[in-house]
PDB file of all heavy atoms in Angstrom:
ATOM      1  N   GLY A   1      14.727   3.883   4.535  1.00  0.00           N
ATOM      2  CA  GLY A   1      14.596   3.296   5.856  1.00  0.00           C
ATOM      3  C   GLY A   1      13.998   1.901   5.842  1.00  0.00           C
ATOM      4  O   GLY A   1      13.478   1.443   6.875  1.00  0.00           O
ATOM      5  N   LEU A   2      14.057   1.204   4.718  1.00  0.00           N
ATOM      6  CA  LEU A   2      13.482  -0.145   4.643  1.00  0.00           C
ATOM      7  C   LEU A   2      14.171  -1.102   5.610  1.00  0.00           C
ATOM      8  O   LEU A   2      15.387  -1.092   5.762  1.00  0.00           O
ATOM      9  CB  LEU A   2      13.625  -0.697   3.223  1.00  0.00           C
ATOM     10  CG  LEU A   2      12.843  -0.022   2.095  1.00  0.00           C
ATOM     11  CD1 LEU A   2      13.073  -0.763   0.790  1.00  0.00           C
ATOM     12  CD2 LEU A   2      11.360   0.055   2.415  1.00  0.00           C
ATOM     13  N   ARG A   3      13.352  -1.948   6.245  1.00  0.00           N
ATOM     14  CA  ARG A   3      13.854  -3.035   7.083  1.00  0.00           C
ATOM     15  C   ARG A   3      13.207  -4.339   6.639  1.00  0.00           C
ATOM     16  O   ARG A   3      12.025  -4.367   6.302  1.00  0.00           O
ATOM     17  CB  ARG A   3      13.537  -2.791   8.561  1.00  0.00           C
ATOM     18  CG  ARG A   3      14.339  -1.692   9.215  1.00  0.00           C
ATOM     19  CD  ARG A   3      14.114  -1.630  10.726  1.00  0.00           C
ATOM     20  NE  ARG A   3      12.718  -1.400  11.073  1.00  0.00           N
ATOM     21  CZ  ARG A   3      11.919  -2.285  11.653  1.00  0.00           C
ATOM     22  NH1 ARG A   3      12.373  -3.507  11.941  1.00  0.00           N
ATOM     23  NH2 ARG A   3      10.666  -1.986  11.948  1.00  0.00           N
ATOM     24  N   ALA A   4      13.958  -5.407   6.675  1.00  0.00           N
ATOM     25  CA  ALA A   4      13.433  -6.709   6.244  1.00  0.00           C
ATOM     26  C   ALA A   4      12.265  -7.152   7.108  1.00  0.00           C
ATOM     27  O   ALA A   4      11.353  -7.835   6.642  1.00  0.00           O
ATOM     28  CB  ALA A   4      14.543  -7.756   6.276  1.00  0.00           C
ATOM     29  N   GLU A   5      12.261  -6.759   8.364  1.00  0.00           N
ATOM     30  CA  GLU A   5      11.259  -7.202   9.318  1.00  0.00           C
ATOM     31  C   GLU A   5       9.902  -6.515   9.133  1.00  0.00           C
ATOM     32  O   GLU A   5       8.894  -6.952   9.701  1.00  0.00           O
ATOM     33  CB  GLU A   5      11.784  -6.935  10.736  1.00  0.00           C
ATOM     34  CG  GLU A   5      11.026  -7.596  11.854  1.00  0.00           C
ATOM     35  CD  GLU A   5      11.600  -7.217  13.209  1.00  0.00           C
ATOM     36  OE1 GLU A   5      11.410  -6.063  13.640  1.00  0.00           O
ATOM     37  OE2 GLU A   5      12.248  -8.076  13.819  1.00  0.00           O
ATOM     38  N   GLN A   6       9.846  -5.459   8.331  1.00  0.00           N
ATOM     39  CA  GLN A   6       8.626  -4.656   8.228  1.00  0.00           C
ATOM     40  C   GLN A   6       7.449  -5.398   7.603  1.00  0.00           C
ATOM     41  O   GLN A   6       6.302  -5.179   7.974  1.00  0.00           O
ATOM     42  CB  GLN A   6       8.896  -3.377   7.425  1.00  0.00           C
ATOM     43  CG  GLN A   6       9.731  -2.363   8.175  1.00  0.00           C
ATOM     44  CD  GLN A   6      10.175  -1.217   7.286  1.00  0.00           C
ATOM     45  OE1 GLN A   6      10.410  -1.387   6.084  1.00  0.00           O
ATOM     46  NE2 GLN A   6      10.293  -0.043   7.869  1.00  0.00           N
ATOM     47  N   SER A   7       7.720  -6.250   6.620  1.00  0.00           N
ATOM     48  CA  SER A   7       6.641  -6.961   5.942  1.00  0.00           C
ATOM     49  C   SER A   7       7.213  -8.114   5.138  1.00  0.00           C
ATOM     50  O   SER A   7       8.419  -8.177   4.885  1.00  0.00           O
ATOM     51  CB  SER A   7       5.874  -6.014   4.998  1.00  0.00           C
ATOM     52  OG  SER A   7       6.679  -5.644   3.890  1.00  0.00           O
ATOM     53  N   ALA A   8       6.337  -9.019   4.710  1.00  0.00           N
ATOM     54  CA  ALA A   8       6.776 -10.142   3.886  1.00  0.00           C
ATOM     55  C   ALA A   8       7.351  -9.651   2.569  1.00  0.00           C
ATOM     56  O   ALA A   8       8.319 -10.219   2.036  1.00  0.00           O
ATOM     57  CB  ALA A   8       5.605 -11.087   3.635  1.00  0.00           C
ATOM     58  N   PHE A   9       6.780  -8.591   2.007  1.00  0.00           N
ATOM     59  CA  PHE A   9       7.255  -8.031   0.746  1.00  0.00           C
ATOM     60  C   PHE A   9       8.704  -7.557   0.863  1.00  0.00           C
ATOM     61  O   PHE A   9       9.465  -7.617  -0.094  1.00  0.00           O
ATOM     62  CB  PHE A   9       6.350  -6.868   0.335  1.00  0.00           C
ATOM     63  CG  PHE A   9       6.777  -6.170  -0.929  1.00  0.00           C
ATOM     64  CD1 PHE A   9       6.455  -6.693  -2.174  1.00  0.00           C
ATOM     65  CD2 PHE A   9       7.515  -4.994  -0.883  1.00  0.00           C
ATOM     66  CE1 PHE A   9       6.842  -6.052  -3.342  1.00  0.00           C
ATOM     67  CE2 PHE A   9       7.920  -4.357  -2.040  1.00  0.00           C
ATOM     68  CZ  PHE A   9       7.568  -4.887  -3.284  1.00  0.00           C
ATOM     69  N   ARG A  10       9.097  -7.111   2.065  1.00  0.00           N
ATOM     70  CA  ARG A  10      10.419  -6.531   2.262  1.00  0.00           C
ATOM     71  C   ARG A  10      11.403  -7.502   2.922  1.00  0.00           C
ATOM     72  O   ARG A  10      12.522  -7.126   3.263  1.00  0.00           O
ATOM     73  CB  ARG A  10      10.296  -5.261   3.104  1.00  0.00           C
ATOM     74  CG  ARG A  10       9.452  -4.200   2.418  1.00  0.00           C
ATOM     75  CD  ARG A  10       9.245  -2.959   3.262  1.00  0.00           C
ATOM     76  NE  ARG A  10       8.477  -1.957   2.512  1.00  0.00           N
ATOM     77  CZ  ARG A  10       8.214  -0.732   2.949  1.00  0.00           C
ATOM     78  NH1 ARG A  10       8.621  -0.353   4.136  1.00  0.00           N
ATOM     79  NH2 ARG A  10       7.516   0.114   2.199  1.00  0.00           N
ATOM     80  N   ALA A  11      11.000  -8.747   3.091  1.00  0.00           N
ATOM     81  CA  ALA A  11      11.780  -9.706   3.877  1.00  0.00           C
ATOM     82  C   ALA A  11      13.192  -9.931   3.339  1.00  0.00           C
ATOM     83  O   ALA A  11      14.099 -10.237   4.101  1.00  0.00           O
ATOM     84  CB  ALA A  11      11.038 -11.031   3.961  1.00  0.00           C
ATOM     85  N   ALA A  12      13.378  -9.806   2.041  1.00  0.00           N
ATOM     86  CA  ALA A  12      14.690 -10.089   1.447  1.00  0.00           C
ATOM     87  C   ALA A  12      15.471  -8.824   1.116  1.00  0.00           C
ATOM     88  O   ALA A  12      16.456  -8.878   0.383  1.00  0.00           O
ATOM     89  CB  ALA A  12      14.514 -10.934   0.175  1.00  0.00           C
ATOM     90  N   VAL A  13      15.062  -7.683   1.654  1.00  0.00           N
ATOM     91  CA  VAL A  13      15.715  -6.430   1.295  1.00  0.00           C
ATOM     92  C   VAL A  13      17.180  -6.456   1.750  1.00  0.00           C
ATOM     93  O   VAL A  13      17.477  -6.781   2.895  1.00  0.00           O
ATOM     94  CB  VAL A  13      14.966  -5.214   1.889  1.00  0.00           C
ATOM     95  CG1 VAL A  13      14.995  -5.224   3.408  1.00  0.00           C
ATOM     96  CG2 VAL A  13      15.538  -3.909   1.370  1.00  0.00           C
ATOM     97  N   PRO A  14      18.126  -6.151   0.842  1.00  0.00           N
ATOM     98  CA  PRO A  14      19.549  -6.161   1.206  1.00  0.00           C
ATOM     99  C   PRO A  14      20.000  -4.783   1.694  1.00  0.00           C
ATOM    100  O   PRO A  14      19.265  -3.794   1.594  1.00  0.00           O
ATOM    101  CB  PRO A  14      20.224  -6.501  -0.118  1.00  0.00           C
ATOM    102  CG  PRO A  14      19.336  -5.858  -1.146  1.00  0.00           C
ATOM    103  CD  PRO A  14      17.927  -5.937  -0.603  1.00  0.00           C
ATOM    104  N   LEU A  15      21.210  -4.707   2.202  1.00  0.00           N
ATOM    105  CA  LEU A  15      21.756  -3.425   2.644  1.00  0.00           C
ATOM    106  C   LEU A  15      22.036  -2.499   1.467  1.00  0.00           C
ATOM    107  O   LEU A  15      21.967  -1.269   1.610  1.00  0.00           O
ATOM    108  CB  LEU A  15      23.043  -3.655   3.447  1.00  0.00           C
ATOM    109  CG  LEU A  15      22.848  -4.297   4.820  1.00  0.00           C
ATOM    110  CD1 LEU A  15      24.175  -4.778   5.378  1.00  0.00           C
ATOM    111  CD2 LEU A  15      22.187  -3.319   5.781  1.00  0.00           C
ATOM    112  N   ALA A  16      22.342  -3.068   0.318  1.00  0.00           N
ATOM    113  CA  ALA A  16      22.583  -2.259  -0.887  1.00  0.00           C
ATOM    114  C   ALA A  16      22.274  -3.110  -2.108  1.00  0.00           C
ATOM    115  O   ALA A  16      22.507  -4.317  -2.107  1.00  0.00           O
ATOM    116  CB  ALA A  16      24.030  -1.772  -0.938  1.00  0.00           C
ATOM    117  N   LEU A  17      21.736  -2.482  -3.127  1.00  0.00           N
ATOM    118  CA  LEU A  17      21.447  -3.174  -4.381  1.00  0.00           C
ATOM    119  C   LEU A  17      21.449  -2.185  -5.523  1.00  0.00           C
ATOM    120  O   LEU A  17      21.302  -0.973  -5.327  1.00  0.00           O
ATOM    121  CB  LEU A  17      20.098  -3.890  -4.327  1.00  0.00           C
ATOM    122  CG  LEU A  17      18.825  -3.030  -4.393  1.00  0.00           C
ATOM    123  CD1 LEU A  17      17.656  -3.858  -4.916  1.00  0.00           C
ATOM    124  CD2 LEU A  17      18.483  -2.453  -3.033  1.00  0.00           C
ATOM    125  N   GLN A  18      21.588  -2.706  -6.714  1.00  0.00           N
ATOM    126  CA  GLN A  18      21.485  -1.888  -7.915  1.00  0.00           C
ATOM    127  C   GLN A  18      20.017  -1.757  -8.282  1.00  0.00           C
ATOM    128  O   GLN A  18      19.344  -2.753  -8.531  1.00  0.00           O
ATOM    129  CB  GLN A  18      22.265  -2.513  -9.075  1.00  0.00           C
ATOM    130  CG  GLN A  18      22.196  -1.730 -10.373  1.00  0.00           C
ATOM    131  CD  GLN A  18      22.937  -0.402 -10.297  1.00  0.00           C
ATOM    132  OE1 GLN A  18      23.857  -0.257  -9.497  1.00  0.00           O
ATOM    133  NE2 GLN A  18      22.539   0.541 -11.123  1.00  0.00           N
ATOM    134  N   ASP A  19      19.485  -0.550  -8.255  1.00  0.00           N
ATOM    135  CA  ASP A  19      18.098  -0.291  -8.628  1.00  0.00           C
ATOM    136  C   ASP A  19      18.063   0.038 -10.120  1.00  0.00           C
ATOM    137  O   ASP A  19      18.472   1.128 -10.540  1.00  0.00           O
ATOM    138  CB  ASP A  19      17.538   0.868  -7.803  1.00  0.00           C
ATOM    139  CG  ASP A  19      16.041   1.056  -7.986  1.00  0.00           C
ATOM    140  OD1 ASP A  19      15.601   1.163  -9.143  1.00  0.00           O
ATOM    141  OD2 ASP A  19      15.320   1.106  -6.976  1.00  0.00           O
ATOM    142  N   GLU A  20      17.588  -0.915 -10.917  1.00  0.00           N
ATOM    143  CA  GLU A  20      17.596  -0.737 -12.365  1.00  0.00           C
ATOM    144  C   GLU A  20      16.560   0.278 -12.827  1.00  0.00           C
ATOM    145  O   GLU A  20      16.708   0.904 -13.873  1.00  0.00           O
ATOM    146  CB  GLU A  20      17.348  -2.085 -13.062  1.00  0.00           C
ATOM    147  CG  GLU A  20      18.404  -3.148 -12.769  1.00  0.00           C
ATOM    148  CD  GLU A  20      19.786  -2.756 -13.279  1.00  0.00           C
ATOM    149  OE1 GLU A  20      19.886  -1.839 -14.123  1.00  0.00           O
ATOM    150  OE2 GLU A  20      20.772  -3.362 -12.808  1.00  0.00           O
ATOM    151  N   GLY A  21      15.477   0.422 -12.058  1.00  0.00           N
ATOM    152  CA  GLY A  21      14.446   1.382 -12.438  1.00  0.00           C
ATOM    153  C   GLY A  21      14.940   2.811 -12.388  1.00  0.00           C
ATOM    154  O   GLY A  21      14.731   3.595 -13.323  1.00  0.00           O
ATOM    155  N   TYR A  22      15.611   3.169 -11.294  1.00  0.00           N
ATOM    156  CA  TYR A  22      16.114   4.536 -11.131  1.00  0.00           C
ATOM    157  C   TYR A  22      17.581   4.671 -11.516  1.00  0.00           C
ATOM    158  O   TYR A  22      18.145   5.761 -11.436  1.00  0.00           O
ATOM    159  CB  TYR A  22      15.900   5.001  -9.692  1.00  0.00           C
ATOM    160  CG  TYR A  22      14.437   5.214  -9.355  1.00  0.00           C
ATOM    161  CD1 TYR A  22      13.768   4.340  -8.501  1.00  0.00           C
ATOM    162  CD2 TYR A  22      13.716   6.264  -9.913  1.00  0.00           C
ATOM    163  CE1 TYR A  22      12.417   4.526  -8.191  1.00  0.00           C
ATOM    164  CE2 TYR A  22      12.369   6.460  -9.612  1.00  0.00           C
ATOM    165  CZ  TYR A  22      11.732   5.585  -8.758  1.00  0.00           C
ATOM    166  OH  TYR A  22      10.397   5.777  -8.470  1.00  0.00           O
ATOM    167  N   ARG A  23      18.213   3.569 -11.874  1.00  0.00           N
ATOM    168  CA  ARG A  23      19.604   3.566 -12.337  1.00  0.00           C
ATOM    169  C   ARG A  23      20.543   4.182 -11.295  1.00  0.00           C
ATOM    170  O   ARG A  23      21.301   5.113 -11.575  1.00  0.00           O
ATOM    171  CB  ARG A  23      19.736   4.282 -13.688  1.00  0.00           C
ATOM    172  CG  ARG A  23      18.957   3.601 -14.792  1.00  0.00           C
ATOM    173  CD  ARG A  23      19.152   4.280 -16.138  1.00  0.00           C
ATOM    174  NE  ARG A  23      18.390   3.632 -17.172  1.00  0.00           N
ATOM    175  CZ  ARG A  23      18.758   2.545 -17.832  1.00  0.00           C
ATOM    176  NH1 ARG A  23      19.927   1.988 -17.568  1.00  0.00           N
ATOM    177  NH2 ARG A  23      18.000   2.019 -18.779  1.00  0.00           N
ATOM    178  N   LEU A  24      20.475   3.640 -10.103  1.00  0.00           N
ATOM    179  CA  LEU A  24      21.323   4.088  -9.005  1.00  0.00           C
ATOM    180  C   LEU A  24      21.485   2.956  -7.998  1.00  0.00           C
ATOM    181  O   LEU A  24      20.874   1.894  -8.139  1.00  0.00           O
ATOM    182  CB  LEU A  24      20.723   5.330  -8.329  1.00  0.00           C
ATOM    183  CG  LEU A  24      19.220   5.361  -7.980  1.00  0.00           C
ATOM    184  CD1 LEU A  24      18.844   4.374  -6.884  1.00  0.00           C
ATOM    185  CD2 LEU A  24      18.804   6.754  -7.560  1.00  0.00           C
ATOM    186  N   ILE A  25      22.316   3.169  -6.992  1.00  0.00           N
ATOM    187  CA  ILE A  25      22.441   2.205  -5.914  1.00  0.00           C
ATOM    188  C   ILE A  25      21.461   2.590  -4.813  1.00  0.00           C
ATOM    189  O   ILE A  25      21.445   3.731  -4.353  1.00  0.00           O
ATOM    190  CB  ILE A  25      23.874   2.130  -5.375  1.00  0.00           C
ATOM    191  CG1 ILE A  25      24.792   1.470  -6.407  1.00  0.00           C
ATOM    192  CG2 ILE A  25      23.922   1.334  -4.074  1.00  0.00           C
ATOM    193  CD1 ILE A  25      26.214   1.255  -5.947  1.00  0.00           C
ATOM    194  N   LYS A  26      20.636   1.636  -4.433  1.00  0.00           N
ATOM    195  CA  LYS A  26      19.664   1.850  -3.362  1.00  0.00           C
ATOM    196  C   LYS A  26      20.256   1.295  -2.074  1.00  0.00           C
ATOM    197  O   LYS A  26      20.640   0.131  -2.005  1.00  0.00           O
ATOM    198  CB  LYS A  26      18.354   1.146  -3.707  1.00  0.00           C
ATOM    199  CG  LYS A  26      17.227   1.409  -2.733  1.00  0.00           C
ATOM    200  CD  LYS A  26      15.945   0.772  -3.271  1.00  0.00           C
ATOM    201  CE  LYS A  26      14.764   1.005  -2.367  1.00  0.00           C
ATOM    202  NZ  LYS A  26      13.526   0.390  -2.922  1.00  0.00           N
ATOM    203  N   LEU A  27      20.288   2.131  -1.064  1.00  0.00           N
ATOM    204  CA  LEU A  27      20.924   1.796   0.200  1.00  0.00           C
ATOM    205  C   LEU A  27      19.872   1.679   1.290  1.00  0.00           C
ATOM    206  O   LEU A  27      19.062   2.586   1.485  1.00  0.00           O
ATOM    207  CB  LEU A  27      21.936   2.883   0.570  1.00  0.00           C
ATOM    208  CG  LEU A  27      23.016   3.115  -0.492  1.00  0.00           C
ATOM    209  CD1 LEU A  27      23.541   4.533  -0.422  1.00  0.00           C
ATOM    210  CD2 LEU A  27      24.136   2.111  -0.338  1.00  0.00           C
ATOM    211  N   ASN A  28      19.885   0.554   1.977  1.00  0.00           N
ATOM    212  CA  ASN A  28      18.929   0.293   3.051  1.00  0.00           C
ATOM    213  C   ASN A  28      19.720  -0.008   4.326  1.00  0.00           C
ATOM    214  O   ASN A  28      19.834  -1.172   4.732  1.00  0.00           O
ATOM    215  CB  ASN A  28      18.038  -0.894   2.673  1.00  0.00           C
ATOM    216  CG  ASN A  28      17.432  -0.735   1.293  1.00  0.00           C
ATOM    217  OD1 ASN A  28      16.728   0.224   1.026  1.00  0.00           O
ATOM    218  ND2 ASN A  28      17.714  -1.684   0.412  1.00  0.00           N
ATOM    219  N   PRO A  29      20.283   1.016   4.972  1.00  0.00           N
ATOM    220  CA  PRO A  29      21.240   0.777   6.060  1.00  0.00           C
ATOM    221  C   PRO A  29      20.637   0.149   7.313  1.00  0.00           C
ATOM    222  O   PRO A  29      21.386  -0.283   8.195  1.00  0.00           O
ATOM    223  CB  PRO A  29      21.789   2.174   6.358  1.00  0.00           C
ATOM    224  CG  PRO A  29      20.711   3.104   5.894  1.00  0.00           C
ATOM    225  CD  PRO A  29      20.121   2.443   4.682  1.00  0.00           C
ATOM    226  N   LEU A  30      19.300   0.069   7.403  1.00  0.00           N
ATOM    227  CA  LEU A  30      18.649  -0.573   8.539  1.00  0.00           C
ATOM    228  C   LEU A  30      18.042  -1.923   8.154  1.00  0.00           C
ATOM    229  O   LEU A  30      17.264  -2.485   8.929  1.00  0.00           O
ATOM    230  CB  LEU A  30      17.542   0.329   9.108  1.00  0.00           C
ATOM    231  CG  LEU A  30      17.962   1.713   9.596  1.00  0.00           C
ATOM    232  CD1 LEU A  30      16.746   2.465  10.121  1.00  0.00           C
ATOM    233  CD2 LEU A  30      19.029   1.626  10.664  1.00  0.00           C
ATOM    234  N   ALA A  31      18.384  -2.441   7.004  1.00  0.00           N
ATOM    235  CA  ALA A  31      17.737  -3.648   6.478  1.00  0.00           C
ATOM    236  C   ALA A  31      17.742  -4.803   7.469  1.00  0.00           C
ATOM    237  O   ALA A  31      16.763  -5.550   7.570  1.00  0.00           O
ATOM    238  CB  ALA A  31      18.397  -4.076   5.165  1.00  0.00           C
ATOM    239  N   ASP A  32      18.815  -4.960   8.217  1.00  0.00           N
ATOM    240  CA  ASP A  32      18.944  -6.099   9.125  1.00  0.00           C
ATOM    241  C   ASP A  32      18.648  -5.744  10.581  1.00  0.00           C
ATOM    242  O   ASP A  32      18.904  -6.543  11.483  1.00  0.00           O
ATOM    243  CB  ASP A  32      20.346  -6.709   9.010  1.00  0.00           C
ATOM    244  CG  ASP A  32      21.466  -5.707   9.249  1.00  0.00           C
ATOM    245  OD1 ASP A  32      21.171  -4.499   9.411  1.00  0.00           O
ATOM    246  OD2 ASP A  32      22.649  -6.109   9.272  1.00  0.00           O
ATOM    247  N   TRP A  33      18.085  -4.573  10.819  1.00  0.00           N
ATOM    248  CA  TRP A  33      17.747  -4.174  12.182  1.00  0.00           C
ATOM    249  C   TRP A  33      16.365  -4.713  12.560  1.00  0.00           C
ATOM    250  O   TRP A  33      15.436  -4.714  11.754  1.00  0.00           O
ATOM    251  CB  TRP A  33      17.719  -2.651  12.301  1.00  0.00           C
ATOM    252  CG  TRP A  33      19.055  -1.996  12.453  1.00  0.00           C
ATOM    253  CD1 TRP A  33      20.239  -2.424  11.924  1.00  0.00           C
ATOM    254  CD2 TRP A  33      19.329  -0.781  13.158  1.00  0.00           C
ATOM    255  NE1 TRP A  33      21.239  -1.539  12.251  1.00  0.00           N
ATOM    256  CE2 TRP A  33      20.708  -0.518  13.005  1.00  0.00           C
ATOM    257  CE3 TRP A  33      18.546   0.101  13.875  1.00  0.00           C
ATOM    258  CZ2 TRP A  33      21.312   0.604  13.567  1.00  0.00           C
ATOM    259  CZ3 TRP A  33      19.145   1.225  14.432  1.00  0.00           C
ATOM    260  CH2 TRP A  33      20.523   1.461  14.282  1.00  0.00           C
ATOM    261  N   SER A  34      16.228  -5.107  13.812  1.00  0.00           N
ATOM    262  CA  SER A  34      14.914  -5.466  14.354  1.00  0.00           C
ATOM    263  C   SER A  34      14.228  -4.205  14.875  1.00  0.00           C
ATOM    264  O   SER A  34      14.863  -3.142  15.016  1.00  0.00           O
ATOM    265  CB  SER A  34      15.067  -6.476  15.498  1.00  0.00           C
ATOM    266  OG  SER A  34      15.682  -5.848  16.619  1.00  0.00           O
ATOM    267  N   ARG A  35      12.949  -4.339  15.180  1.00  0.00           N
ATOM    268  CA  ARG A  35      12.233  -3.214  15.795  1.00  0.00           C
ATOM    269  C   ARG A  35      12.892  -2.833  17.127  1.00  0.00           C
ATOM    270  O   ARG A  35      13.009  -1.653  17.466  1.00  0.00           O
ATOM    271  CB  ARG A  35      10.765  -3.592  16.016  1.00  0.00           C
ATOM    272  CG  ARG A  35       9.902  -2.462  16.575  1.00  0.00           C
ATOM    273  CD  ARG A  35       9.510  -1.510  15.493  1.00  0.00           C
ATOM    274  NE  ARG A  35       8.670  -0.423  15.984  1.00  0.00           N
ATOM    275  CZ  ARG A  35       8.201   0.549  15.215  1.00  0.00           C
ATOM    276  NH1 ARG A  35       8.493   0.560  13.924  1.00  0.00           N
ATOM    277  NH2 ARG A  35       7.456   1.509  15.715  1.00  0.00           N
ATOM    278  N   GLN A  36      13.340  -3.843  17.867  1.00  0.00           N
ATOM    279  CA  GLN A  36      13.986  -3.590  19.149  1.00  0.00           C
ATOM    280  C   GLN A  36      15.294  -2.819  18.967  1.00  0.00           C
ATOM    281  O   GLN A  36      15.613  -1.916  19.750  1.00  0.00           O
ATOM    282  CB  GLN A  36      14.255  -4.917  19.874  1.00  0.00           C
ATOM    283  CG  GLN A  36      13.017  -5.622  20.401  1.00  0.00           C
ATOM    284  CD  GLN A  36      12.171  -6.271  19.282  1.00  0.00           C
ATOM    285  OE1 GLN A  36      12.678  -6.553  18.194  1.00  0.00           O
ATOM    286  NE2 GLN A  36      10.905  -6.506  19.572  1.00  0.00           N
ATOM    287  N   ASP A  37      16.064  -3.181  17.936  1.00  0.00           N
ATOM    288  CA  ASP A  37      17.303  -2.448  17.637  1.00  0.00           C
ATOM    289  C   ASP A  37      16.991  -0.979  17.382  1.00  0.00           C
ATOM    290  O   ASP A  37      17.693  -0.076  17.860  1.00  0.00           O
ATOM    291  CB  ASP A  37      17.986  -3.018  16.395  1.00  0.00           C
ATOM    292  CG  ASP A  37      18.502  -4.427  16.574  1.00  0.00           C
ATOM    293  OD1 ASP A  37      18.829  -4.802  17.723  1.00  0.00           O
ATOM    294  OD2 ASP A  37      18.576  -5.149  15.565  1.00  0.00           O
ATOM    295  N   LEU A  38      15.942  -0.753  16.614  1.00  0.00           N
ATOM    296  CA  LEU A  38      15.566   0.602  16.220  1.00  0.00           C
ATOM    297  C   LEU A  38      15.134   1.431  17.432  1.00  0.00           C
ATOM    298  O   LEU A  38      15.593   2.570  17.621  1.00  0.00           O
ATOM    299  CB  LEU A  38      14.442   0.520  15.190  1.00  0.00           C
ATOM    300  CG  LEU A  38      13.891   1.824  14.628  1.00  0.00           C
ATOM    301  CD1 LEU A  38      14.975   2.616  13.913  1.00  0.00           C
ATOM    302  CD2 LEU A  38      12.730   1.529  13.672  1.00  0.00           C
ATOM    303  N   VAL A  39      14.258   0.861  18.244  1.00  0.00           N
ATOM    304  CA  VAL A  39      13.774   1.571  19.432  1.00  0.00           C
ATOM    305  C   VAL A  39      14.926   1.877  20.386  1.00  0.00           C
ATOM    306  O   VAL A  39      15.014   2.981  20.950  1.00  0.00           O
ATOM    307  CB  VAL A  39      12.677   0.747  20.133  1.00  0.00           C
ATOM    308  CG1 VAL A  39      12.334   1.354  21.496  1.00  0.00           C
ATOM    309  CG2 VAL A  39      11.422   0.668  19.262  1.00  0.00           C
ATOM    310  N   ARG A  40      15.834   0.937  20.534  1.00  0.00           N
ATOM    311  CA  ARG A  40      16.987   1.150  21.416  1.00  0.00           C
ATOM    312  C   ARG A  40      17.847   2.313  20.916  1.00  0.00           C
ATOM    313  O   ARG A  40      18.288   3.163  21.710  1.00  0.00           O
ATOM    314  CB  ARG A  40      17.816  -0.130  21.501  1.00  0.00           C
ATOM    315  CG  ARG A  40      18.960  -0.062  22.514  1.00  0.00           C
ATOM    316  CD  ARG A  40      19.780  -1.347  22.536  1.00  0.00           C
ATOM    317  NE  ARG A  40      18.928  -2.510  22.713  1.00  0.00           N
ATOM    318  CZ  ARG A  40      18.734  -3.450  21.793  1.00  0.00           C
ATOM    319  NH1 ARG A  40      19.341  -3.356  20.607  1.00  0.00           N
ATOM    320  NH2 ARG A  40      17.951  -4.482  22.037  1.00  0.00           N
ATOM    321  N   TYR A  41      18.094   2.352  19.617  1.00  0.00           N
ATOM    322  CA  TYR A  41      18.923   3.427  19.052  1.00  0.00           C
ATOM    323  C   TYR A  41      18.267   4.784  19.253  1.00  0.00           C
ATOM    324  O   TYR A  41      18.916   5.761  19.665  1.00  0.00           O
ATOM    325  CB  TYR A  41      19.153   3.162  17.557  1.00  0.00           C
ATOM    326  CG  TYR A  41      20.019   4.195  16.873  1.00  0.00           C
ATOM    327  CD1 TYR A  41      21.401   4.034  16.791  1.00  0.00           C
ATOM    328  CD2 TYR A  41      19.462   5.344  16.302  1.00  0.00           C
ATOM    329  CE1 TYR A  41      22.207   4.980  16.168  1.00  0.00           C
ATOM    330  CE2 TYR A  41      20.257   6.303  15.680  1.00  0.00           C
ATOM    331  CZ  TYR A  41      21.623   6.113  15.623  1.00  0.00           C
ATOM    332  OH  TYR A  41      22.414   7.061  15.007  1.00  0.00           O
ATOM    333  N   VAL A  42      16.978   4.873  18.964  1.00  0.00           N
ATOM    334  CA  VAL A  42      16.251   6.134  19.106  1.00  0.00           C
ATOM    335  C   VAL A  42      16.225   6.578  20.565  1.00  0.00           C
ATOM    336  O   VAL A  42      16.430   7.762  20.882  1.00  0.00           O
ATOM    337  CB  VAL A  42      14.817   5.996  18.538  1.00  0.00           C
ATOM    338  CG1 VAL A  42      13.946   7.173  18.934  1.00  0.00           C
ATOM    339  CG2 VAL A  42      14.868   5.865  17.016  1.00  0.00           C
ATOM    340  N   THR A  43      16.015   5.636  21.465  1.00  0.00           N
ATOM    341  CA  THR A  43      15.978   5.957  22.898  1.00  0.00           C
ATOM    342  C   THR A  43      17.341   6.386  23.408  1.00  0.00           C
ATOM    343  O   THR A  43      17.475   7.418  24.094  1.00  0.00           O
ATOM    344  CB  THR A  43      15.483   4.737  23.698  1.00  0.00           C
ATOM    345  OG1 THR A  43      14.179   4.361  23.223  1.00  0.00           O
ATOM    346  CG2 THR A  43      15.405   5.060  25.175  1.00  0.00           C
TER     347      THR A  43
END
């Protein structure tokens, strides 16, 4: 559930990347969502 907006550390998080540590594709389908987008969807 990573989003780029959550913190400076996560600012560049992409929608998908190759995770070399776990040797898999890491998917962040909310990476480009704002907090407002998220609240609207949940509501």
Side-chain angles (χ1 to χ4, degrees):
L2 294 183
R3 288 188 301 111
E5 193 182 72
Q6 288 171 328
S7 69
F9 178 81
R10 298 177 177 185
V13 64
L15 290 166
L17 73 156
Q18 179 69 25
D19 189 307
E20 299 297 343
Y22 291 109
R23 297 183 181 278
L24 46 68
I25 290 184
K26 186 174 181 179
L27 303 153
N28 309 301
L30 301 180
D32 55 355
W33 280 32
S34 69
R35 184 79 179 180
Q36 289 73 22
D37 294 332
L38 180 60
V39 170
R40 186 182 308 113
Y41 181 91
V42 168
T43 302

